[in-house]
Amino acid sequence: MRKRRKKALIVKTRAQKVLEYIYILTGSAVVALSFNLFLLPNRIASGGVSGISTILDAVMGWAPAYVQWSLNIPLFIAGVVLLGRNFGIKTLVGTIFLPFVVLSSAHLQPWTNDPLLGALFGGVGVGLGLGIVFRGRASTGGTDLAAQIITKYTGLTLGRSVALIDGLIVLSAAIVFDIERGLYALIALYITSKTIDLVQVGFGRSKMAMIITNKQMEVQEGILNKIDRGVTRLSAYGGFTDSEKPVLMCVVDQTEFTKLKQLVKTIDPTAFVIVMDAAEVLGEGFKRE
C-alpha cells in the first residue's frame, strides 16, 4: 500500500513539473508575441529588459532579442553569484526562451499602430504571460534579478527597487522618444501589474463579513442552514464596556452576499457588520490548489 501511494505521488510530482514547464513556455511566448505585436512597433518601453531593448532598437538599431539575451543571461549569472541562491533551471528556461520567441516572431506585422491601443493590449498580453509564468513557479529573469541585487546591497525594499528600475526605463523612453510615449509606457506598466494580479488570484471575488451581534447563535445557525456556508466565532471584547463580544466571521461568494446581508438584518437589525473583499479563498466550498 505504501509503495502504491509513493508511486502515485511520484507520478503526480512529475506531472506537476511538466505542467509548470508548459506554463513557463506558454507564458514566455505570450509575453514575446505581445511585445512584437503591440509594444515594440509603437515604441512603448514599459519597463524591464524588454523596455531597454525597445529603446536600444530605436537608438542603436540593435535587434531586441539579442539585447534581451545579452542582458538576461548575465543578470541570471550575477543573481546566482551575488545572491547565493539557486534560481533553478525553470527561470533559466524562461530567460532563454522568451527572446527566442521574440526573434522567431520578429517578422509578424503589428496588430495596431495606435500607441494607446498598443499600451492597453500590450500591457494585458505581457501581464497575462507573466502571470502564467509565475503560476509555473518561475520568472523570466531580467530586471527582477537586478532589483533583488539592489535590495541586498542598498537596503531598499524589493518593491522600491523594481519601481526605481522601471521608472528609470520609462523616463529614458520619455527622453529618447517623447513625453507621450513615456505616458503610454506608464499605462502599459499599470495594466501589466493589474493583469498579473488577475491571473494569480482569478476573476472571482469573495466577500468576508465580520458580524458583531447580540444574537450570535441565531445568526450562526442561519448562515449554516440557509446559506450553507461555514462560520467561525472569534473571541473579542468591547472597547467601551470591556465585556466579551464574540465576532462571527464568514466568507461567501459575491452572489451570496446579498442573501447574507438580508439574513443578518432580519435576525438582528442592530448588528454591526464589516465587509471586506477576499481576493482568493482556498478550502472547502471554494477553490482548491
Side-chain angles (χ1 to χ4, degrees):
M1 193 68 174
R2 284 184 179 178
K3 287 182 179 180
R4 194 173 295 174
R5 287 181 181 175
K6 188 176 181 181
K7 188 176 180 180
L9 183 61
I10 291 172
V11 172
K12 186 178 180 180
T13 302
R14 287 177 179 172
Q16 181 64 34
K17 285 184 178 180
V18 170
L19 183 61
E20 287 175 355
Y21 278 103
I22 291 174
Y23 279 144
I24 295 163
L25 296 177
T26 303
S28 297
V30 171
V31 172
L33 290 172
S34 300
F35 174 76
N36 274 337
L37 296 174
F38 298 109
L39 299 179
L40 181 63
N42 291 291
R43 296 297 188 226
I44 298 172
S46 57
V49 169
S50 63
I52 297 173
S53 68
T54 300
I55 295 171
L56 292 178
D57 175 61
V59 175
M60 307 296 294
W62 294 347
Y66 295 115
V67 172
Q68 291 171 22
W69 270 322
S70 66
L71 293 175
N72 277 338
I73 294 175
L75 279 171
F76 180 84
I77 296 171
V80 173
V81 173
L82 296 177
L83 301 178
R85 291 177 55 186
N86 180 14
F87 290 102
I89 191 69
K90 289 188 293 185
T91 295
L92 183 59
V93 168
T95 296
I96 295 173
F97 186 70
L98 195 156
F100 172 76
V101 179
V102 169
L103 183 64
S104 302
S105 60
H107 64 282
L108 296 177
Q109 293 298 312
W111 284 9
T112 179
N113 291 312
D114 185 320
L116 179 57
L117 289 176
L120 292 174
F121 286 96
V124 169
V126 171
L128 175 63
L130 289 177
I132 294 171
V133 171
F134 293 158
R135 290 186 74 87
R137 300 179 185 180
S139 78
T140 55
T143 52
D144 289 342
L145 298 181
Q148 292 182 48
I149 294 172
I150 291 173
T151 296
K152 180 175 181 179
Y153 289 98
T154 65
L156 289 174
T157 64
L158 183 60
R160 288 182 179 178
S161 298
V162 171
L164 174 64
I165 294 172
D166 286 340
L168 288 173
I169 294 170
V170 170
L171 179 61
S172 300
I175 294 171
V176 171
F177 304 122
D178 53 52
I179 296 297
E180 276 195 356
R181 300 289 164 168
L183 295 176
Y184 287 134
L186 285 175
I187 292 172
L189 194 59
Y190 177 78
I191 296 294
T192 294
S193 66
K194 291 300 178 182
T195 305
I196 290 173
D197 289 342
L198 282 176
V199 175
Q200 292 291 85
V201 303
F203 289 91
R205 287 292 185 272
S206 299
K207 297 288 186 181
M208 183 176 74
M210 309 287 282
I211 306 164
I212 302 173
T213 173
N214 292 321
K215 299 181 178 180
Q216 295 105 12
M217 295 309 299
E218 293 92 330
V219 172
Q220 180 176 317
E221 288 177 8
I223 294 172
L224 291 170
N225 299 322
K226 294 183 180 180
I227 302 180
D228 194 26
R229 285 295 183 188
V231 59
T232 301
R233 189 161 55 197
L234 307 175
S235 295
Y237 292 86
F240 180 73
T241 63
D242 199 32
S243 59
E244 188 173 8
K245 200 86 168 178
V247 177
L248 301 178
M249 184 184 76
C250 179
V251 179
V252 296
D253 286 332
Q254 271 189 330
T255 55
E256 298 169 324
F257 173 66
T258 302
K259 191 175 180 181
L260 173 67
K261 188 167 63 173
Q262 190 61 42
L263 173 74
V264 174
K265 186 177 179 180
T266 300
I267 295 174
D268 184 5
T270 64
F272 189 74
V273 182
I274 305 168
V275 182
M276 294 163 278
D277 286 325
E280 186 171 24
V281 184
L282 305 177
E284 185 68 34
F286 292 93
K287 185 168 65 174
R288 288 187 174 275
E289 284 192 357

